[in-house]
Amino acid sequence: LVGAALAAHHLTSDTQYATVAAREFNYVTPENEMKWSYVEPSPNSWDFAAADQIVAFASKHNMKVKGHTLVWHSQLPKWMEELTGAEAVRAALERHVRTVAGHYKGKVYAWDVVNEAFSDDSKPVLRNSVFQKHLGEEFIAQSFRWAHEADPDALLFYNDYSIEYPGAKLDAVYSLVSRLKAAGVPIHGVGFQSHVNAADAPTNAQFAGVIKRFTDLGLLVNISEIDVSIGSKVSGDLPTRVTLQRNTYRSLVAACVANPKCHSVTVWGVPDKYSWLNMPEFWTWAGQGPHYPLLFDDSYGKKPAYDGVLDAFCGR
Ligand code: G3I
């Protein structure tokens, strides 16, 4: 499957966006619209309109849908962030997971059930989210169980970033999912977000090795949110950086294509102009923009990065 993150408001306002998305991709992730603050803005009050719009678009164009995301510390409504007491947090979490997964039962191929649970410290720990604070690590296993009960056919993933290369965060995630598997928790795979910059992206061999560790556990994997920045952290003139970007896309996607258990590659947006990396609030992550991180330029022309992805799929 070859996917893209899509935004409902662009589908409505930009016909070229919709045309290119339908032509180029067969897998869709709503970039924001299924997140907690969008679907449950106040307790037990639901708004699926924008997410439903994306699911309808996908269905019309024979594209599968990856739900994103049931449990994440970010983009939570204030009322949820401020909830206290294990019982109240557990009840709200269970209601949320069951209701959202239930609403999309039979309509999503896979879910990012738990997103970015680990911190970025040199010794990663589970983030001090409202879930972790009140329920401890058990919130993760429970969320997978509730999601599975609500939609037994959906593939259920743990999703995270900065785990595409060897390191402490990768080891922490590996240890977590090993424990979940051993405990019989219904987890089917791990998503590698792959937000990288072209100057220091993992090598093909590094990423292939990482993928293999997880597929050897009997899990599926996917590239869930790839974009390759060529912003201020990448040196050289623009043509040099554009070529480096093409090679980075090819190298990472090739690592997925080479492993039969790596079942999808999703790009985090369609044209550069709509990328999240254009929001300066995120520039500490990848250096200063412009980042030109995606496969299509602002007029929907195919960039060299697009050819890099194509090369990877064609084994070139
Ligand atoms: O919708 C409002 C709009 O009404 C308002 O005028 C505008 C003003 O800033 O903000 C808009 O909301 C923004 C929203 O994106 C939609 O564009 C939020 O401020 C902004 O914070 C939000 O950013 C999203 C980010 O997650 C939140 O952390 C990005 O679009 C989205 O691409 C990004 O996606 C995440 C994945 O879910 C998880 N992995 C990392 C990835 C990149 O950060």
Side-chain angles (χ1 to χ4, degrees):
L1 297 167
V2 189
L6 298 184
H9 61 282
H10 298 318
L11 286 176
T12 308
S13 63
D14 181 345
T15 50
Q16 237 186 325
Y17 175 87
T19 304
V20 171
R23 185 189 73 210
E24 299 287 341
F25 301 99
N26 60 6
Y27 202 26
V28 174
T29 306
E31 185 172 349
N32 287 296
E33 292 80 347
M34 286 185 180
K35 292 170 182 174
W36 199 312
S37 62
Y38 287 69
V39 298
E40 194 187 4
S42 32
N44 206 18
S45 162
W46 306 91
D47 182 356
F48 292 111
D52 286 355
Q53 186 194 333
I54 295 181
V55 172
F57 175 84
S59 154
K60 183 171 169 201
H61 297 286
N62 290 314
M63 305 157 96
K64 288 186 163 64
V65 176
K66 156 85 92 72
H68 174 83
T69 169
L70 294 171
V71 187
W72 189 26
H73 66 279
S74 177
Q75 287 175 296
L76 279 177
K78 208 162 191 280
W79 66 266
M80 185 62 210
E81 258 169 13
E82 290 173 352
L83 218 55
T84 54
E87 192 40 47
V89 172
R90 194 202 59 79
L93 180 61
E94 176 171 4
R95 180 183 65 204
H96 183 82
V97 171
R98 286 190 189 277
T99 304
V100 181
H103 182 82
Y104 290 109
K105 182 179 191 296
K107 295 187 178 153
V108 302
Y109 180 73
W111 268 109
D112 290 330
V113 177
V114 176
N115 193 40
E116 302 175 5
F118 283 99
S119 70
D120 295 315
D121 311 329
S122 54
K123 290 203 170 78
V125 291
L126 288 172
R127 282 175 202 274
N128 192 23
S129 65
V130 63
F131 316 113
Q132 169 66 16
K133 206 158 40 192
H134 295 283
L135 305 175
E137 180 180 319
E138 191 57 18
F139 84 87
I140 298 177
Q142 286 291 37
S143 298
F144 277 92
R145 291 193 188 101
W146 292 323
H148 185 61
E149 280 177 30
D151 188 354
D153 293 330
L155 295 172
L156 304 183
F157 285 83
Y158 175 81
N159 193 50
D160 216 329
Y161 63 86
S162 297
I163 56 168
E164 297 80 12
Y165 45 87
K169 190 166 178 184
L170 168 68
D171 292 341
V173 169
Y174 183 82
S175 159
L176 169 75
V177 301
S178 304
R179 276 179 279 131
L180 293 173
K181 271 293 264 184
V185 173
I187 177 172
H188 307 115
V190 172
F192 297 86
Q193 294 185 8
S194 311
H195 297 290
V196 300
N197 79 64
D200 59 11
T203 64
N204 173 276
Q206 279 175 325
F207 191 34
V210 167
I211 287 176
K212 187 173 181 308
R213 282 182 72 181
F214 289 87
T215 59
D216 283 351
L217 274 180
L219 290 165
L220 296 170
V221 299
N222 61 52
I223 294 179
S224 54
E225 307 183 8
I226 192 169
D227 44 30
V228 178
S229 162
I230 51 170
S232 66
K233 286 194 179 169
V234 186
S235 51
D237 58 15
L238 192 56
T240 305
R241 287 183 285 145
V242 163
T243 302
L244 195 58
Q245 181 184 53
R246 173 189 176 142
N247 294 340
T248 304
Y249 265 109
R250 185 182 55 207
S251 155
L252 295 180
V253 174
C256 174
V257 171
N259 188 317
K261 291 273 184 103
C262 187
H263 76 110
S264 64
V265 175
T266 290
V267 184
W268 208 240
V270 183
D272 284 339
K273 63 184 171 187
Y274 297 152
S275 166
W276 68 290
L277 287 169
N278 294 331
M279 290 185 265
E281 65 189 270
F282 294 114
W283 280 6
T284 48
W285 169 264
Q288 285 229 327
H291 294 282
Y292 308 114
L294 295 168
L295 305 185
F296 294 88
D297 66 28
D298 290 352
S299 318
Y300 295 95
K302 294 172 182 173
K303 294 167 54 187
Y306 179 99
D307 299 315
V309 171
L310 207 57
D311 284 347
F313 278 110
C314 297
R316 296 190 289 242

